[in-house]
Amino acid sequence: MTTTPLTRVQTNPASRARRRERIGLITEASRRAGTYAAGAGDRAIFPQADALAGLDAFRQPLPQDGRPAREVLAELDTFGSPATTVVNEGRYFGYVTGGTDPAAQAAAILAGAWDQNVGSGSTAGEAIDAVACQWIVDALGLPSQSVAAFNGGATVANLTGIIAARDALYARAGWSVAEQGLVGARPLRVIVGEEVHTSALKALRLAGFGAAQVERVPTDATGAIRADAFPQDTDDHTLVLLQAGNVNTGASDPFADIIPGVRERGGWVHIDGAFGLWAAASPQLAHQVAGVEHADSWATDAHKWLSVPYDSGIVIVRDGNDLARAMSADAAYLHPTAEAPMNKGIQMSQRARAIETWAMLATHGRTGLADLIERSCAHARRFAAGLEEAGAEILAPVALNQVLVAFGDAERTAATIAAIQAEGTCWAGSTVWHGRPAMRISVSDAATTADDVDASVEAIVRSWASI
Ligand SMILES: *Cc1c(COP(=O)(O)O)cnc(C)c1O
């Protein structure tokens, strides 16, 4: 590509020195990042005690005077790098922690040098953001006219969707939240499943819906809402939050049985699909979320299963006007377009995080994405089979990429989890499932291989036997 040559203003020596320093530091940081990636696979997944003690190097008062940035970078690497949890080597199974796809990571490095504010007015940032938003809607099989927007994560995406829902339901009833506020408005009925994610409750709270206002529908043995227990008398002042992917079991609510009725009666359905919504991107697994496309809004994460760097979530709203009503802002100096990210979310200034998702999807395409999702689920089933064969108890059917395991009673299960976390081959966390303490294994890193699963099963079984 050719670019129009510019007449450069002669820069002074200070500017030239600053530029040289920037170039040197970017190169040095990339070199150190490469060395980190090269060594991460050889050490304990969770940092050992001496590495954690090294973090004391950072616990200093604000320095009075400065020092060379190169020294600061070296300190960061020397004491910070060894004290990180290794999340990109395929053997970290805590929470729902996606690794980082190499293409997305590389894009983040370049985009870091660009430092674009994509809220409004970033040329490259906004153009790529718009494409990534469309690709997400397409990849998830959602209605093509839906509007997507990036934000900091599924909590923010849930909050954004809930506020869009709230304001839309009121607008249809002739009440403008923007003008009249919430005081005096007829209360909305809010319905969630018994197994609603805690962050969705936080989002509801931030949007003005207290815990006592929220009705919980019973769930079944897999953690999905029981369709037969779902109220049939919802109205046009009803907001329903359903879930694609229970955080413990991966099970999804019965969308096809619930959504049409709620919408026919004038209500709004929002989906928390932080990781589980990605099942829709796989022809093999899409049946698990059948009917999810009929909802009004959806929240998902890119930083979990899609394997892009933190922090990156996405909200999608069926009718873009509903998102705009809730989120647009304007000022004389801004000149934002209606599609500007600042008008589709809570933040004004924001980093151009969609670039990483664009790079991931551009690199792997639709088939690569489906393969990533399917592979993780196959590894989860392999985990369950291996652990079950060794005598452990799998507490719920493996719907997607989450596995729940108990090793005898509560005490032995807790001791086994502590032992594997200290042993270092892999890392898995703990949870309580329907009253039973359990190890929770989430296969969300694209780097995980069958060998990683086998080595991890072996280490877990060894840890169990050692107590
Ligand atoms: C992780 C998760 C969230 C919260 O997502 P963040 O990106 O951490 O804000 C919400 N819902 C479900 C089901 C999740 O798994």
Side-chain angles (χ1 to χ4, degrees), residues 95-96 151-158 195-200 243-248 272-276 299-304 310-313 402 440:
Y95 309 98
V96 187
N151 46 49
T155 305
V156 183
N158 278 330
E195 298 266 342
V196 62
H197 195 269
T198 170
S199 75
Q243 190 166 254
N246 178 296
V247 81
N248 281 312
D272 174 7
F275 69 97
T300 193
D301 265 321
H303 59 217
K304 286 181 177 170
Y310 290 100
D311 48 2
S312 195
Q402 315 288 105
R440 188 173 159 288

Side-chain angles (χ1 to χ4, degrees), residues 93 248-249 375-407 439-443 450 452-454 456-458 460-461 464:
F93 305 108
N248 281 312
T249 65
R375 240 183 323 123
S376 312
C377 295
H379 290 325
R381 291 192 298 272
R382 190 180 182 96
F383 250 119
L387 290 168
E388 196 161 39
E389 199 180 297
E393 191 184 347
I394 305 302
L395 298 185
V398 177
L400 293 172
N401 56 337
Q402 315 288 105
V403 187
L404 285 181
V405 205
F407 301 90
M439 177 188 283
R440 188 173 159 288
I441 298 168
S442 176
V443 187
D452 287 318
V453 175
D454 294 347
S456 299
V457 167
E458 207 245 334
I460 292 169
V461 171
W464 181 21

Side-chain angles (χ1 to χ4, degrees), residues 304-363:
K304 286 181 177 170
W305 218 349
L306 193 63
S307 303
V308 311
Y310 290 100
D311 48 2
S312 195
I314 304 148
V315 65
I316 303 133
V317 179
R318 172 183 289 274
D319 183 342
N321 294 319
D322 291 330
L323 187 59
R325 177 191 302 106
M327 294 294 152
S328 45
D330 203 358
Y333 74 97
L334 284 169
H335 317 295
T337 61
E339 304 79 38
M342 64 162 275
N343 281 331
K344 298 193 294 179
I346 292 166
Q347 280 181 266
M348 184 169 280
S349 297
Q350 51 194 289
R351 73 186 191 90
R353 49 170 72 83
I355 291 171
E356 297 141 8
T357 289
W358 174 85
M360 194 284 170
L361 294 173
T363 301

Side-chain angles (χ1 to χ4, degrees), residues 111-124:
W114 293 356
D115 187 29
Q116 300 290 288
N117 178 355
V118 83
S120 172
S122 160
T123 44

Side-chain angles (χ1 to χ4, degrees), residues 399-446:
L400 293 172
N401 56 337
Q402 315 288 105
V403 187
L404 285 181
V405 205
F407 301 90
D409 61 15
E411 216 174 307
R412 290 196 59 143
T413 298
T416 304
I417 295 168
I420 190 63
Q421 290 180 352
E423 194 264 354
T425 301
C426 66
W427 199 96
S430 61
T431 188
V432 176
W433 173 247
H434 292 179
R436 287 200 61 187
M439 177 188 283
R440 188 173 159 288
I441 298 168
S442 176
V443 187
S444 307
D445 180 3

